[in-house]
Amino acid sequence: MRLLRHDPQVLMNLEKVCRLMRKYGLKCPVRKANPYRRMMKALKENNYAANILNREFKEHGASSVLLTDITYLKRQDGRSSYLSAIMDAGTKEILAHVVSPSLDLDFVLETVEMLMDKHGAELKTDALLHSDQGSHYTSHKFTELLGNNDLRRSMSRRANCWDNAPQVSFFGHMKEEIDLSVCGTNEEVAAAVVIG
């Protein structure tokens, strides 16, 4: 139909096109919406935070500024596992991490809960958790969890990896050091990713 519109010599209405398509068994497939994109869009509630950190990674000392992000870990079977980690920007220590077989929101929440269980008493009262603007970090559950644990939120500017550079750099070095080519399951990846 689109090609016919551009040819001024061919005039045909929609009903005739449909009739000819049925006659000759032609089908026009319609792409279905990506369910994962729809799920991520539903989780994303435009719940952004200001960039309070402003790349001041070490100025505030230990237990003041925390960085978090997610990275993909390719397995032997061609699938991916996902690592959520929280780093102390002052000491570069990974305080909490969770490896998950899917990108569900729960494993990011579990990482924050692990942080609070292990290091909650050590954190300063005005501790800042800095992330990118991903759907996990803009979700209502994530925002509520941080509020319940008295953690302030800060977010990188859109498409600016430098605002979370130490965390991104850590993931890059970690992937160079760990051989995941022998890991065929999420459990094997989790066993290989020993941090801290």
Side-chain angles (χ1 to χ4, degrees):
M1 187 72 181
R2 193 180 307 163
L3 291 173
L4 294 175
R5 280 195 193 123
H6 295 296
D7 191 345
Q9 298 172 357
V10 179
L11 293 173
M12 210 176 286
N13 66 17
L14 182 61
E15 288 80 16
K16 184 170 184 178
V17 171
C18 291
R19 191 169 54 251
L20 289 170
M21 287 178 72
R22 275 193 306 274
K23 179 178 177 182
Y24 293 106
L26 301 174
K27 294 192 178 179
C28 180
V30 177
R31 280 180 40 190
K32 293 182 181 175
N34 184 336
Y36 296 106
R37 183 176 289 166
R38 197 174 355 174
M39 180 179 77
M40 288 301 151
K41 191 174 181 183
L43 287 173
K44 199 167 208 171
E45 299 172 4
N46 295 332
N47 192 6
Y48 300 114
N51 185 1
I52 300 169
L53 179 59
N54 203 24
R55 297 189 197 169
E56 294 175 358
F57 300 116
K58 294 186 178 180
E59 284 82 344
H60 306 285
S63 303
S64 296
V65 174
L66 309 171
L67 307 173
T68 188
D69 203 359
I70 299 169
T71 192
Y72 298 74
L73 303 171
K74 287 283 184 194
R75 302 191 310 239
Q76 178 188 25
D77 61 1
R79 303 176 89 185
S80 291
S81 290
Y82 307 93
L83 171 64
S84 169
I86 299 177
M87 170 192 277
D88 185 326
T91 64
K92 301 278 174 67
E93 179 187 357
I94 298 297
L95 303 177
H97 73 281
V98 174
V99 177
S100 171
S102 73
L103 272 173
D104 289 339
L105 173 64
D106 294 340
F107 88 111
V108 173
L109 301 177
E110 188 181 335
T111 311
V112 175
E113 288 164 357
M114 185 183 292
L115 167 77
M116 297 313 295
D117 288 344
K118 290 182 175 181
H119 303 282
E122 304 164 16
L123 298 178
K124 295 191 178 168
T125 52
D126 60 345
L128 185 71
L129 184 64
H130 185 80
S131 68
D132 59 24
Q133 294 185 12
S135 58
H136 294 86
Y137 306 117
T138 57
S139 72
H140 177 70
K141 285 184 178 180
F142 183 79
T143 307
E144 188 175 46
L145 181 61
L146 293 191
N148 292 342
N149 288 291
D150 297 322
L151 291 170
R152 294 183 303 150
R153 293 171 61 219
S154 174
M155 287 188 164
S156 301
R157 291 165 293 174
R158 190 157 190 78
N160 192 322
C161 63
W162 295 106
D163 288 345
N164 206 4
Q167 182 73 60
V168 175
S169 176
F170 166 78
F171 284 149
H173 290 297
M174 183 200 74
K175 288 179 183 181
E176 288 175 1
E177 297 291 324
I178 297 175
D179 181 19
L180 298 175
S181 64
V182 296
C183 300
T185 65
N186 187 68
E187 291 74 23
E188 290 174 357
V189 171
V193 178
V194 178
I195 304 171

